[in-house]
Amino acid sequence: MKTRIVEVRQGILKKNDALARALRNRFAMTRTYVVSFVSSPGAGKTALLEATLRAAQPRFRVGALVGDLATANDAARLSRSGAPVRQITTGTVCHLDAQMVGSALDAWDPGPLDLLCIENVGNLVCPSGYDLGEDLRVVLFSVTEGEDKPLKYPPIFNTADLALISKIDLAEAAGFDRETAYASLYRIRPGLPVLEVSARTGEGFAAWMTLLEEHVNRKRGEGGGRLN
Amino acid sequence: MKTRIVEVRQGILKKNDALARALRNRFAMTRTYVVSFVSSPGAGKTALLEATLRAAQPRFRVGALVGDLATANDAARLSRSGAPVRQITTGTVCHLDAQMVGSALDAWDPGPLDLLCIENVGNLVCPSGYDLGEDLRVVLFSVTEGEDKPLKYPPIFNTADLALISKIDLAEAAGFDRETAYASLYRIRPGLPVLEVSARTGEGFAAWMTLLEEHVNRKRGEGGGRLN
């Protein structure tokens, strides 16, 4: 049984990689910069995303895909930002994959986008293996989760391009030990860029938006001009 | 491909159920009461477990199995309680299954136990389908995770016997909305027993221990006396 599981799993991942490459080509054509967010349930992905969609909108055309096992609560919440949002309901599936993203995009027309945000199912384990064709994978971990999370969940940190330490406004109340948290993170991923943010108080949010805008602008400028 | 995945998955779950039945028989023979803990990463399973092992020890023979992708940090931490503890390192596997529990028990001799605690990998999705032969499955969700977690992760709440709302000492700092949280929980599982706890301040801990002790004593008494 074990061998068969591994074989099926490798088959799935190989198929996903091919679909992710197709997505990446699609996003290159439209010059859409794509950011995915992964974290434990409740680390603050949706709160950060809501603030991001609001802040980015005057300058960029933005949209979001949000994955959840059940409910369209997050999509409803994110729609308040005025940006087009589509929910992907996964049922019992514990992660998004490239096929789900592709199907959602085929069935949805948000118009041309400069920035597409993809919020994964809250899961610090399973999304790690699934390339979604994104340009930037952001892993959030909140100050209330404990400083050792990178050590205990290495694959998700290994596949991330940026870490956001979220709920930084709760650092003192939660007894957050900054030094230990960074040491854990750098032991798994030396040099990984890190930002500290609070969606509630806005702390660190400007730095996050600056980084994001630079990336979006760079992709818009690629090839010497806007296509649309 | 889809059909094949579903078939393999059903095969895995069927095999797991058979192994879980064998575990349940084994625990019935030894009159060991078994509690498993599931939650998001960082909801406070290990902190609660450490306090539980300490508090239970004068009266009961207790031990713990702890699952993690990587590191034996939790086992080291729990060992400070003086109870026998064994780590199950799952690698990239996102949950414990009955086979892992059985193998760990075969390779470990903690002596006869009245209470065995099993801490699952931090994951609010994947552990739901895997019976570990436990008597009581406890799902923790912390006040910092958001009140909607039961609505967004129904399978894990559907398979739990008790919910613990953890980190209750942070309720005010996190702006926890108790009424909404209970409404979410009861919409998925009307009548599910709930306790509010803080491993840090000890709030609610006595009620949790009282409940646990009653269960352990009932199982020890089953069949009219102790075997060992």
Side-chain angles (χ1 to χ4, degrees), chain A:
Chain A
M1 183 58 113
K2 280 263 147 112
T3 319
R4 203 171 143 218
I5 299 167
V6 172
E7 273 170 22
V8 171
R9 184 147 189 263
Q10 286 173 346
I12 293 169
L13 289 176
K14 204 176 274 184
K15 190 186 161 201
N16 187 76
D17 284 346
L19 291 169
R21 272 195 299 276
L23 283 176
R24 199 161 270 121
N25 289 337
R26 176 177 189 158
F27 297 140
M29 294 280 288
T30 57
R31 287 179 193 158
T32 303
Y33 188 75
V34 182
V35 187
S36 77
F37 298 86
V38 292
S39 80
S40 305
K45 290 185 297 305
T46 313
L48 181 83
L49 200 43
E50 188 179 355
T52 301
L53 294 176
R54 281 186 202 278
Q57 269 184 101
R59 281 152 293 177
F60 301 123
R61 296 165 302 180
V62 297
L65 286 173
V66 278
D68 264 311
L69 301 195
T71 84
N73 292 2
D74 284 356
R77 184 172 160 194
L78 292 175
S79 294
R80 298 185 308 204
S81 69
V85 179
R86 181 144 181 126
Q87 183 88 36
I88 303 175
T89 306
T90 65
T92 58
V93 178
C94 50
H95 59 270
L96 292 180
D97 63 28
Q99 182 161 30
M100 295 179 203
V101 171
S103 302
L105 291 173
D106 290 340
W108 179 54
D109 183 16
L113 295 179
D114 303 310
L115 170 63
L116 173 66
C117 297
I118 304 176
E119 181 182 344
N120 218 311
V121 175
N123 187 327
L124 210 52
V125 185
C126 313
S128 65
Y130 294 85
D131 185 355
L132 304 179
E134 68 270 65
D135 296 288
L136 187 79
R137 182 175 292 191
V138 179
V139 61
L140 283 84
F141 73 109
S142 70
V143 296
T144 62
E145 286 175 56
E147 296 80 4
D148 58 349
K149 288 300 152 290
L151 298 177
K152 293 170 70 180
Y153 301 87
I156 205 107
F157 287 89
N158 275 325
T159 58
D161 304 299
L162 170 71
L164 294 183
I165 303 181
S166 59
K167 307 196 184 182
I168 201 72
D169 57 301
L170 291 178
E172 202 183 321
F176 178 66
D177 178 343
R178 183 171 273 104
E179 202 176 322
T180 305
Y182 278 84
S184 301
L185 191 58
Y186 290 146
R187 213 168 108 197
I188 299 296
R189 283 290 303 277
L192 183 70
V194 186
L195 292 174
E196 301 181 6
V197 293
S198 165
R200 192 155 68 158
T201 65
E203 193 178 334
F205 189 73
W208 154 246
M209 285 307 296
T210 301
L211 179 149
L212 191 59
E213 283 166 21
E214 282 172 7
H215 283 287
V216 175
N217 278 326
R218 199 174 307 145
K219 190 155 186 181
R220 286 168 81 182
E222 274 170 16
R226 295 271 303 273
L227 281 178
N228 44 45

Side-chain angles (χ1 to χ4, degrees), chain B residues 122-204:
Chain B
N123 188 328
L124 210 51
V125 185
C126 313
S128 64
Y130 294 84
D131 185 354
L132 304 179
E134 69 269 66
D135 296 287
L136 187 79
R137 183 176 291 192
V138 179
V139 60
L140 282 83
F141 74 111
S142 70
V143 296
T144 63
E145 286 174 57
E147 296 79 4
D148 58 351
K149 289 299 150 293
L151 298 177
K152 292 171 71 181
Y153 301 87
I156 206 106
F157 286 89
N158 275 325
T159 58
D161 304 299
L162 170 71
L164 294 183
I165 303 181
S166 59
K167 307 195 185 184
I168 200 72
D169 57 302
L170 291 178
E172 203 183 321
F176 178 65
D177 178 344
R178 183 171 272 104
E179 201 176 324
T180 304
Y182 278 84
S184 301
L185 190 59
Y186 290 146
R187 212 166 109 198
I188 298 296
R189 284 290 302 276
L192 183 70
V194 186
L195 293 174
E196 301 181 6
V197 293
S198 165
R200 194 156 67 158
T201 65
E203 193 179 334

